[in-house]
RNA sequence: GUGGAUGUAGCUCAGAUGGUUAGAGCACCAGAUUGUGGCUCUGGGGGUCGUGGGUUCAAAUCCCAUCUUCCACCCCA
């Protein structure tokens, strides 16, 4: 007996019954993207490792401990993409999208890979829905991107909080970081162990430390700094103004700093209120230096990504369902074995007209076929029997009402098409 | 990567202190006379008790390891 093989840790099989929800969310995302003027882009699932080292930042957790990196047969170091923005910025440069009309608005959906410790709502292969806009530094596009993300969630009836902040630019952020460090270093003994390390590696992260003491201390210090340069301050104020105009409620959260190095100015996160550590459903922000870092012209950019698994999880928590599609229109039952051939051709005729139809293929009794029909969810059953057939008719059974009529074979497709 | 829980049929779970062929509900399949579903009744299939070692006359039940899932942290989607 060969031993069974399981799926790798942190991965899931999306089975019939569940996959319909995925499809519904994915299709809804496509629709809203089209409405907002985005075109789809597809990039490889793996890239040169260096792309992420440079783009995401080689001191981030994602790069330091979460990448699926491997050597291919030619000894190239490749990595499964841990996120979508760097590859798309790469494509923007490599495929010279900067030479076309600007801004370039693209969306993507697909799997991402991170070697994390799995938990509910957190997987090693997970799926993101995201958008990126290149070539506009206008606060209005910040607002549109954020508003679109919220619009998408609202369409499902999701109740989520929008946290937003400005993390400054290449000019004012380093100044702020230095001041924060200097200030915190004087109180080193008050910081938790993690934060002492963070102080050297990524001091901004102290702002969202779980240890209350650190957090309070950092908040105090940060609030006192009021660090944004006039340009960044204006940009942030205008962005918030547009959000107000769009009736998008937000929480300005001075402690919101995102884990990827490339963010500038606007940073935001969409959080599910309440339970669980994985409350972040999506997030994004501006990344004005990224394209240049990849050898492209100075180009501003902004985008966000949402986690499909988390989106679904929150939907479930909030008791939201999706309309169930994928049902059959009709199930075909044969009363006698020798009608099998006739059943097959009838089935094909119906399908050719776009009617979703199926039958049994395990040689069940008629009674059992009806039972299967019931389970299939098909609202109608067509019963093929020699009595009716001799009159050129079939029996059409309404499974909800439990009633049955005889219908001429020729009229059959019309029965379903009008519904 | 750190700390802590968990693992018995497809699913939800019973199986006190180790002891004959491991159970239930649901699901699945088949029947309940002559061509008809959803209710009911009857019967059936299905588990090397996560996996691998060990202790023991004997282990689902004790010990060790390993894997999975889950919780918290790190971090993030």
């Amino acid at each position: 007996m060969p031993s069974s093989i399981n799926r790798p840790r942190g991965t899931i099989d999306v089975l019939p019954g569940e996959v319909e929800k995925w499809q519904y969310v994915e299709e809804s995302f496509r629709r809203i993207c089209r409405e907002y003027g985005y075109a789809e882009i597809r990039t490889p699932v793996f890239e040169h490792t260096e792309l992420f080292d440079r783009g995401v930042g080689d001191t981030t957790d994602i790069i330091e401990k979460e990448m699926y990196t491997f050597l291919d047969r030619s000894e190239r170091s490749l990595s499964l993409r841990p996120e979508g923005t760097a590859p798309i910025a790469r494509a923007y440069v490599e495929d010279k999208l900067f030479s076309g009309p600007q801004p370039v608005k693209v969306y993507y959906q697909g799997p991402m890979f991170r070697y994390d410790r799995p938990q509910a709502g957190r997987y090693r292969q997970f799926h993101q829905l995201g958008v990126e806009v290149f070539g506009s530094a206008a606060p209005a596009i910040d607002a549109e991107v954020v508003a679109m993300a919220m619009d998408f969630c609202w369409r499902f009836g999701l109740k989520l909080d929008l946290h937003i902040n400005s993390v400054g630019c290449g000019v004012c952020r380093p100044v702020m970081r230095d001041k924060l460090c200097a200030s915190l270093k004087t109180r080193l003994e008050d910081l938790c162990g993690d934060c002492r390390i963070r102080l050297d590696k990524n001091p901004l992260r102290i702002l969202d430390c779980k240890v209350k003491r650190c957090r309070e201390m950092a908040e105090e210090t940060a609030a006192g700094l009021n660090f944004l340069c006039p340009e960044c301050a204006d940009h942030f104020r205008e962005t918030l103004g547009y959000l107000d105009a769009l009736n998008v409620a937000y929480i300005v959260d001075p402690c919101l700093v995102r884990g990827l190095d490339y963010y500038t100015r606007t940073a935001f996160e969409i959080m599910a209120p309440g339970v669980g550590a994985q409350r972040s459903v999506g997030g994004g922000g501006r990344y004005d230096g990224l394209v240049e870092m990849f050898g492209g012209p100075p180009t501003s950019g902004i985008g966000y990504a949402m986690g499909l698994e988390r989106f679904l999880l929150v939907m479930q928590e909030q008791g939201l369902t999706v309309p169930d599609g994928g049902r059959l229109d009709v199930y075909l039952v044969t009363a006698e074995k020798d009608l099998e051939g006739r059943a097959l051709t009838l089935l094909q005729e119906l399908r050719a007209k776009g009617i979703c139809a199926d039958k049994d293929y395990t040689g069940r009794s008629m009674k059992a076929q009806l039972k299967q029909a019931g389970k299939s969810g098909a609202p109608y059953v067509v019963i093929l029997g020699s009595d009716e057939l001799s009159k050129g008719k079939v029996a059409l059974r309404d499974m909800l009402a439990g009633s049955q009529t005889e219908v001429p074979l020729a009229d059959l497709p019309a029965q379903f098409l009008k519904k």
Side-chain angles (χ1 to χ4, degrees), chain A residues 24-25 28 149-161 273 311 314-323:
Chain A
Y24 184 77
V25 174
S28 303
M150 295 310 287
D151 187 7
F152 182 65
C153 299
W154 290 335
R155 290 184 187 198
F156 286 83
L158 245 29
K159 290 183 181 59
L160 300 166
D161 296 328
F311 195 88
V314 174
M315 275 183 69
Q316 196 189 6
E317 268 171 18
Q318 300 192 3
L320 302 169
T321 52
V322 304

Side-chain angles (χ1 to χ4, degrees), chain A residues 114-225:
Chain A
R114 254 120 98 161
Y115 191 88
D116 250 3
R117 194 124 155 199
Q119 228 167 295
R122 181 211 218 141
Y123 304 95
R124 291 187 171 179
Q125 174 175 342
F126 61 100
H127 298 77
Q128 287 190 334
L129 312 169
V131 307
E132 311 290 352
V133 181
F134 296 96
S136 169
I141 194 67
D142 295 53
E144 190 197 87
V145 164
V146 173
M148 177 202 176
M150 295 310 287
D151 187 7
F152 182 65
C153 299
W154 290 335
R155 290 184 187 198
F156 286 83
L158 245 29
K159 290 183 181 59
L160 300 166
D161 296 328
L162 169 64
H163 292 240
I164 192 165
N165 190 23
S166 176
V167 297
C169 62
V171 176
C172 57
R173 185 151 54 154
V175 175
M176 126 76 145
R177 186 168 45 219
D178 290 347
K179 284 187 180 168
L180 183 67
C181 282
S183 166
L184 290 177
K185 261 177 191 148
T186 64
R187 303 168 65 181
L188 199 59
E189 65 283 359
D190 291 338
L191 290 171
C192 71
D194 283 335
C195 282
R196 286 181 205 175
I197 296 166
R198 281 196 268 249
L199 196 53
D200 288 327
K201 275 177 53 181
N202 200 343
L204 293 181
R205 294 228 63 88
I206 299 174
L207 285 170
D208 62 0
C209 181
K210 289 274 190 328
V211 180
K212 219 197 280 176
R213 222 164 127 85
C214 302
R215 204 193 160 98
E216 285 169 356
M217 211 153 69
E219 264 177 65
E220 259 171 53
T221 319
L225 287 178

Side-chain angles (χ1 to χ4, degrees), chain A residues 138-141 143-144 237-248:
Chain A
I141 194 67
E144 190 197 87
R237 191 164 20 77
E238 283 178 49
T239 299
L240 296 184
Y242 290 131
L243 286 176
D244 290 335
L246 290 168
N247 274 318
V248 177

Side-chain angles (χ1 to χ4, degrees), chain A residues 289-309:
Chain A
L290 190 61
V291 167
E292 211 172 342
M293 184 188 294
F294 290 146
T299 306
S300 43
I302 179 168
Y304 69 81
M306 294 208 285
L308 186 42
E309 288 86 347

Side-chain angles (χ1 to χ4, degrees), chain A residues 189-387:
Chain A
E189 65 283 359
D190 291 338
L191 290 171
C192 71
D194 283 335
C195 282
R196 286 181 205 175
I197 296 166
R198 281 196 268 249
L199 196 53
D200 288 327
K201 275 177 53 181
N202 200 343
L204 293 181
R205 294 228 63 88
I206 299 174
L207 285 170
D208 62 0
C209 181
K210 289 274 190 328
V211 180
K212 219 197 280 176
R213 222 164 127 85
C214 302
R215 204 193 160 98
E216 285 169 356
M217 211 153 69
E219 264 177 65
E220 259 171 53
T221 319
L225 287 178
N226 198 9
F227 71 97
L228 291 181
C229 63
E231 291 77 14
C232 286
D234 284 349
H235 184 95
F236 192 40
R237 191 164 20 77
E238 283 178 49
T239 299
L240 296 184
Y242 290 131
L243 286 176
D244 290 335
L246 290 168
N247 274 318
V248 177
Y250 51 81
I251 301 164
V252 174
D253 181 354
C255 293
L256 175 67
V257 284
R258 310 216 72 235
L260 288 67
D261 281 358
Y262 52 61
Y263 285 115
T264 58
R265 294 191 167 172
T266 306
F268 67 100
E269 204 160 334
I270 299 169
M271 319 261 263
V275 297
Q278 271 68 53
R279 348 195 271 118
S280 174
V281 175
R286 185 164 272 291
Y287 43 85
D288 285 343
L290 190 61
V291 167
E292 211 172 342
M293 184 188 294
F294 290 146
T299 306
S300 43
I302 179 168
Y304 69 81
M306 294 208 285
L308 186 42
E309 288 86 347
R310 286 194 188 170
F311 195 88
L312 260 7
L313 198 67
V314 174
M315 275 183 69
Q316 196 189 6
E317 268 171 18
Q318 300 192 3
L320 302 169
T321 52
V322 304
D324 55 335
R327 283 266 157 75
L328 291 174
D329 296 317
V330 56
Y331 196 94
L332 191 56
V333 166
T334 53
E336 292 118 68
K337 284 273 186 308
D338 55 349
L339 261 26
E340 190 75 10
R342 186 68 193 89
L344 249 21
T345 55
L346 177 56
L347 212 45
Q348 290 302 69
E349 287 165 32
L350 293 172
R351 290 165 174 166
K353 294 206 159 62
I355 297 158
C356 302
D358 204 1
K359 71 181 287 298
D360 174 63
Y361 291 101
T362 63
R364 288 178 219 267
S365 69
M366 180 173 169
K367 191 188 178 83
Q369 288 180 59
L370 258 315
K371 212 177 258 184
Q372 291 302 314
K375 283 175 201 162
S376 79
Y380 291 93
V381 164
V382 165
I383 302 170
L384 221 52
S386 48
D387 288 359

